[in-house]
Amino acid sequence: MSAFALQKTWKNDQSLWQIYRKIDTQELLFLQLNLKTGDIIFTEAKLLTRMDIDFFRVLGNKAFISGMYNDRPVVEMIQLFDKSAKVLPDLYANYFRINTIEVDEVDQLVHVLVRDEKKCVFYLKSYDYEGKLVINRTIGETRKIPITGKLLSLPDNRRVLVGNFAESCSNYSVGFYIHDLIQDKTQFIDFTQLSNFFSYLPEKRQERIKSRLENKKSRGVEVKIRHRILVHDIVKKGNEWVLIAEIYYPEYKSPTNATGSYVQVYRIGREYFNNFKYSHTILCGFDEQGRLKWNNSFPLNNLESNELSKKVQVTTTSQEELLVAYPKDRFIRMMRLEEDHSFSDLEVQQEQQNTNKGRIVDEYQLDLTSWYANNFITHGTVSIRNLQTMATRSYFYDIS
């Protein structure tokens, strides 16, 4: 009997969902955990295609699963009651790539964000509860093309998409955007408009960069700040929405030369890839009308990772305080966002120099996961040397 393997996890306010797939088949197993009662429901179903699973969402009693089939995107809608399934229309096309799927539980809509990589166009395709296409529009302008999008429900019943955008087909972001789904209007905010985008740097370096930018503007040169960014889910804090994004870059290495040393180079291709480095994090606060009110940033000091994942964890306390934390060497750096939108430092030391297995000689992967309130789980991979045999082995660990 083939085993089931976990594919995706998703959570809303009521339930935690997991989707499992029987290896090398189209058979699925859904797990629904009620977050209030702890009750668990299992449901079996079957995919219509042998696609890989990239996104998974649930709306009501229907699951929406997307993936690639014959190098084209597919979104299947599966009715969890009778196990029937259908493919959502207008998505199976060459050069289409699904950015994300967002569900609107109030209006009972499923929003699919799609990027046409050949034409360099970003589409919003919205489907009703029966899978009928009800909204089909492009978002962006000729030289301002969205890269990501997160759905926000504002208090006045407006729905907006918030994300980052690039110039034309570039993968480098130049700012954030807010798109009003009802009014079909988009507001673009360039990184150059963020007064604290460089506040993570030492003051003198900030002044030099800002001076160079002002000199370019005075000569009539269009100034753009381009970065690769990793956008988090939007966080609610009191009557504000906070957007968090981590700025990163891939690092590459050339082959060893005759002396055996490495020369670091940076390029678009993925040959000789070394790791990802994270330079800093930017936070932007929006009011309940979707207007930008403040921004700030803090350094990540070129934090390294061999996989692209969120290194900064964000949580809110019962007092509506916003805490951010990230791993730094053998420490967890924790900060609180103050009323004036500055950061106050807290730091929790992780003493892991020795274990009952030996002495730690290398900690080459360290991650942090938000748990609840101001509690976090630290996990990663370390190399431990046996003090008797001096042999070295790698171990995975977690600390809560």
Side-chain angles (χ1 to χ4, degrees):
M1 179 179 177
S2 299
F4 282 90
L6 176 64
Q7 302 292 302
K8 295 292 177 182
T9 298
W10 181 74
K11 182 178 76 71
N12 57 17
D13 291 338
Q14 298 80 38
S15 301
L16 172 71
W17 291 84
Q18 290 185 329
I19 180 172
Y20 296 82
R21 183 175 188 170
K22 185 175 286 189
I23 297 173
D24 295 328
T25 74
Q26 296 166 230
E27 296 180 43
L28 302 176
L29 179 67
F30 295 93
L31 180 152
Q32 179 188 7
L33 170 65
N34 188 302
L35 296 176
K36 292 184 178 179
T37 65
D39 294 336
I40 296 178
I41 299 175
F42 291 97
T43 305
E44 295 183 359
K46 191 173 183 179
L47 286 170
L48 296 174
T49 64
R50 295 185 66 88
M51 67 176 180
D52 296 328
I53 298 176
D54 295 325
F55 295 100
F56 164 57
R57 302 288 186 269
V58 177
L59 180 63
N61 294 306
K62 296 180 180 179
F64 296 83
I65 303 168
S66 76
M68 299 297 290
Y69 182 71
N70 290 335
D71 204 33
R72 298 177 183 179
V74 174
V75 178
E76 294 189 18
M77 180 179 74
I78 299 177
Q79 170 61 261
L80 297 177
F81 275 162
D82 61 14
K83 320 297 173 60
S84 61
K86 64 180 289 187
V87 174
L88 297 187
D90 208 41
L91 291 170
Y92 188 68
N94 290 326
Y95 307 108
F96 272 19
R97 294 294 181 268
I98 293 176
N99 176 271
T100 191
I101 298 176
E102 298 281 335
V103 293
D104 185 340
E105 296 181 342
V106 176
D107 292 335
Q108 295 285 284
L109 293 175
V110 177
H111 303 290
V112 183
L113 304 182
V114 184
R115 185 181 175 98
D116 186 328
E117 295 186 336
K118 184 177 182 180
K119 296 180 180 178
C120 204
V121 178
F122 195 81
Y123 295 101
L124 167 66
K125 298 178 182 288
S126 302
Y127 301 83
D128 65 15
Y129 193 64
E130 302 305 319
K132 179 182 177 181
L133 182 64
V134 293
I135 298 175
N136 187 15
R137 72 173 63 144
T138 59
I139 302 177
E141 300 175 359
T142 304
R143 295 186 60 195
K144 296 179 178 180
I145 309 299
I147 299 177
T148 66
K150 306 287 185 182
L151 181 68
L152 284 184
S153 299
L154 300 181
D156 56 1
N157 293 323
R158 284 193 300 143
R159 305 289 186 270
V160 297
L161 288 174
V162 179
N164 55 314
F165 72 96
E167 273 192 306
S168 302
C169 286
S170 172
N171 290 321
Y172 290 86
S173 302
V174 295
F176 300 114
Y177 76 92
I178 303 174
H179 176 79
D180 191 310
L181 269 67
I182 297 176
Q183 299 180 11
D184 193 14
K185 293 182 179 179
T186 307
Q187 172 191 0
F188 295 96
I189 304 167
D190 281 16
F191 290 150
T192 54
Q193 297 175 245
L194 301 179
S195 57
N196 290 310
F197 189 85
F198 296 110
S199 63
Y200 73 98
L201 294 171
E203 189 171 342
K204 288 186 177 180
R205 191 175 175 191
Q206 291 184 51
E207 293 174 358
R208 289 198 300 269
I209 292 176
K210 291 178 179 179
S211 177
R212 288 200 298 267
L213 295 178
E214 287 300 323
N215 287 337
K216 288 184 178 181
K217 289 180 182 179
S218 65
R219 299 197 308 268
V221 177
E222 184 181 20
V223 176
K224 294 290 183 182
I225 301 172
R226 297 175 177 86
H227 282 292
R228 293 179 185 265
I229 69 173
L230 188 62
V231 181
H232 289 230
D233 290 334
I234 311 296
V235 175
K236 187 77 165 66
K237 179 184 179 295
N239 58 358
E240 292 182 332
W241 298 95
V242 182
L243 183 151
I244 303 104
E246 299 175 36
I247 287 75
Y248 73 94
Y249 59 93
E251 180 190 63
Y252 298 86
K253 286 187 177 180
S254 64
T256 55
N257 57 26
T259 64
S261 62
Y262 279 91
V263 179
Q264 292 185 355
V265 294
Y266 304 95
R267 50 180 107 166
I268 300 298
R270 289 187 61 86
E271 64 273 18
Y272 315 133
F273 171 76
N274 184 39
N275 57 24
F276 294 102
K277 286 192 173 182
Y278 298 74
S279 61
H280 63 289
T281 296
I282 182 79
L283 287 82
C284 295
F286 298 87
D287 64 17
E288 293 183 333
Q289 284 69 49
R291 295 173 299 205
L292 178 67
K293 304 302 292 184
W294 59 269
N295 64 91
N296 208 342
S297 63
F298 59 86
L300 294 179
N301 301 311
N302 286 327
L303 180 68
E304 296 185 13
S305 175
N306 56 18
E307 63 180 19
L308 185 60
S309 60
K310 298 180 181 68
K311 299 304 174 186
V312 176
Q313 294 297 311
V314 182
T315 187
T316 54
T317 68
S318 56
Q319 291 77 36
E320 294 192 343
E321 292 180 320
L322 189 143
L323 303 179
V324 296
Y326 66 91
K328 181 185 177 184
D329 300 323
R330 296 288 175 89
F331 295 83
I332 297 172
R333 185 178 184 187
M334 185 181 297
M335 298 177 291
R336 180 173 54 242
L337 185 69
E338 301 293 352
E339 290 298 322
D340 62 354
H341 306 119
S342 63
F343 295 104
S344 60
D345 270 325
L346 303 168
E347 196 163 53
V348 181
Q349 187 169 0
Q350 286 290 286
E351 291 286 357
Q352 286 292 304
Q353 298 294 334
N354 292 283
T355 72
N356 57 3
K357 296 181 181 296
R359 182 171 62 87
I360 291 177
V361 294
D362 188 21
E363 190 164 23
Y364 51 85
Q365 184 69 43
L366 176 64
D367 287 302
L368 197 65
T369 300
S370 178
W371 191 10
Y372 67 92
N374 59 341
N375 293 282
F376 300 88
I377 298 175
T378 305
H379 51 94
T381 306
V382 295
S383 291
I384 298 178
R385 179 169 295 164
N386 188 300
L387 299 179
Q388 294 179 339
T389 66
M390 299 305 291
T392 300
R393 297 182 65 181
S394 295
Y395 294 87
F396 175 82
Y397 72 92
D398 66 272
I399 304 170
S400 57

